Amino acid sequence: MAANSEKSGLETFRLFSTSDEKIQLSLGFLDSSETHLPPPPPCVEVLPSEVSSSVKYTVEPVNFGGLTLLKGRVSTQDVFRLSNSDLVPGKYEGGLKLWEGSLDLVKAIRSEVQDGQLSFTGKRVLELGCGHGLPGVFACLKGAAVIHFQDFNAEVLQSLTIPNVNANLIKNTQPSATNVTERNTGTGTEVRFFAGDWSEIHHLLPLVYDNKKDLNGHPEPNPSLGYDVVLMAETVYSISTLQNLYELIIKCMNRPHGVVYMAAKKHYFGVGGGTRRFLSVVEKDGILAANLVAEVADGSSNVREVWKLSLK
Ligand SMILES: C[S@@+](CC[C@H](N)C(=O)[O-])C[C@H]1O[C@@H](n2cnc3c(N)ncnc32)[C@H](O)[C@@H]1O
């Protein structure tokens, strides 16, 4: 659990991490529990062919000590008509920006793979709150059989996640492939995209346990249900969503082998969420064990962590 002082050198998003709390509050970064939110957008599956052609998209390489992923960039103004807004609770939840935690997560799962602690080969993977989807792309490149990406906003999937998946996976597919086709990258991986709120998205995600009987009491292990690996970066900033997020991952994890890798800040100033707050929800329920995989104290934000959750 050594502190990682490596700096990414990338422009990443640092919400609620420094002393600019006043600015954040004046921009409307309030905990959504304190506001009256509009109803969430409907849950929908977004097909790869629904990729947005109207927004400007640029691609930059992101280097992880030899591993290169491509990071897209689109503007919140183009997609949501929001200038300078990092997050508007209930409308736009920050998916267009690359947060530091997603890079921490890629680094952590990469070293887990190198150390033999994790394999994606043939695995069913879900990335929650994906934004750019770099951790999910990494899982795909490492041989996942299924990768499902989820974001609050369909617009994020259409204008950022799908182009980013295309940019990273096309060079690894057949020369004839020009795009991620419906549900298939050409590498044999099933790739699908889902938009919607964590309180409702279980109705749409294909592999969840949605039956209380499956989850309570003595569930029969069902190898055909659940994701083997759930990835999520910077999803635990808002206290008001932690319970829904926890309940969702419980429905999503394969029993008994499913694991969750969560990267986030230990604490988000101004809104009160963070890894420790989320882990208090986990601990209260008593079903999952939590292990710290990495701690990042590089001075660019308050301390960030990567945790692994598994069924006890
Ligand atoms: C701060 S962004 C992080 C994006 C990306 N994981 C990264 O690290 O760059 C938070 C992500 O969680 C998703 N999200 C936040 N609240 C949500 C909710 N209530 N339901 C579904 N998704 C939500 C957002 O759409 C967004 O993708």
Side-chain angles (χ1 to χ4, degrees):
M1 179 174 75
N4 180 352
S5 61
E6 189 185 347
K7 290 209 178 192
S8 67
L10 293 162
E11 189 197 330
T12 48
F13 188 45
R14 279 178 275 139
L15 184 58
F16 315 126
S17 58
T18 57
S19 57
D20 50 359
E21 210 171 297
K22 270 193 204 141
I23 300 169
Q24 291 154 4
L25 292 174
S26 71
L27 286 171
F29 296 149
L30 289 170
D31 178 18
S32 47
S33 63
E34 295 168 23
T35 59
H36 295 289
L37 296 181
C43 295
V44 288
E45 176 166 8
V46 174
L47 299 177
S49 56
E50 293 173 55
V51 63
S52 173
S53 54
S54 58
V55 298
K56 279 188 249 113
Y57 178 86
T58 57
V59 173
E60 302 155 28
V62 180
N63 198 306
F64 295 99
L67 170 77
T68 304
L69 295 181
L70 295 171
K71 159 191 172 304
R73 184 190 287 275
V74 288
S75 91
T76 22
Q77 170 69 37
D78 284 356
V79 179
F80 289 104
R81 303 274 164 256
L82 298 169
S83 62
N84 259 340
S85 280
D86 293 323
L87 190 147
V88 179
K91 183 167 192 262
Y92 162 59
E93 292 286 349
L96 289 180
K97 305 221 176 172
L98 183 67
W99 290 44
E100 295 152 319
S102 64
L103 303 181
D104 298 338
L105 184 54
V106 174
K107 285 180 194 158
I109 56 180
R110 183 170 173 247
S111 60
E112 288 279 279
V113 169
Q114 282 171 346
D115 294 349
Q117 300 295 319
L118 174 67
S119 166
F120 286 107
T121 310
K123 297 289 172 59
R124 294 171 304 190
V125 180
L126 171 67
E127 183 174 356
L128 292 174
C130 61
H132 283 71
L134 291 183
V137 166
F138 175 81
C140 191
L141 293 173
K142 289 290 170 191
V146 168
I147 168 75
H148 293 167
F149 292 93
Q150 176 275 333
D151 199 277
F152 186 77
N153 299 105
E155 294 91 336
V156 170
L157 298 170
Q158 289 160 337
S159 60
L160 186 69
T161 320
I162 295 171
N164 219 51
V165 167
N166 287 339
N168 280 287
L169 300 183
I170 293 312
K171 61 189 165 78
N172 296 289
T173 60
Q174 319 297 330
S176 59
T178 54
N179 217 332
V180 172
T181 58
E182 309 306 320
R183 301 189 185 184
N184 201 307
T185 55
T187 55
T189 308
E190 175 190 293
V191 183
R192 294 173 72 179
F193 304 89
F194 301 91
D197 191 272
W198 292 322
S199 62
E200 300 173 348
I201 197 74
H202 58 280
H203 295 303
L204 200 58
L205 289 173
L207 294 175
V208 295
Y209 293 84
D210 196 15
N211 183 342
K212 281 235 157 62
K213 273 193 237 137
D214 283 343
L215 293 167
N216 297 328
H218 304 283
E220 289 293 315
N222 183 342
S224 66
L225 278 184
Y227 293 88
D228 302 303
V229 185
V230 178
L231 302 172
M232 55 184 202
E234 309 253 21
T235 53
V236 294
Y237 53 87
S238 170
I239 292 179
S240 63
T241 59
L242 297 185
Q243 188 64 34
N244 285 340
L245 180 58
Y246 172 72
E247 288 173 15
L248 176 62
I249 67 171
I250 288 297
K251 289 176 182 149
C252 287
M253 291 171 77
N254 171 265
R255 284 164 185 253
H257 301 298
V259 292
V260 177
Y261 282 88
M262 163 182 75
K265 295 181 182 68
K266 204 166 173 176
H267 182 70
Y268 293 82
F269 293 115
V271 278
T275 52
R276 299 309 171 108
R277 191 70 187 238
F278 183 70
L279 290 172
S280 69
V281 176
V282 170
E283 197 179 335
K284 202 167 140 205
D285 205 30
I287 296 175
L288 302 181
N291 290 293
L292 186 63
V293 172
E295 188 179 51
V296 186
D298 61 8
S300 72
S301 72
N302 55 337
V303 174
R304 311 192 300 272
E305 297 179 325
V306 182
W307 286 84
K308 177 181 179 180
L309 309 176
S310 46
L311 288 148
K312 281 181 182 167

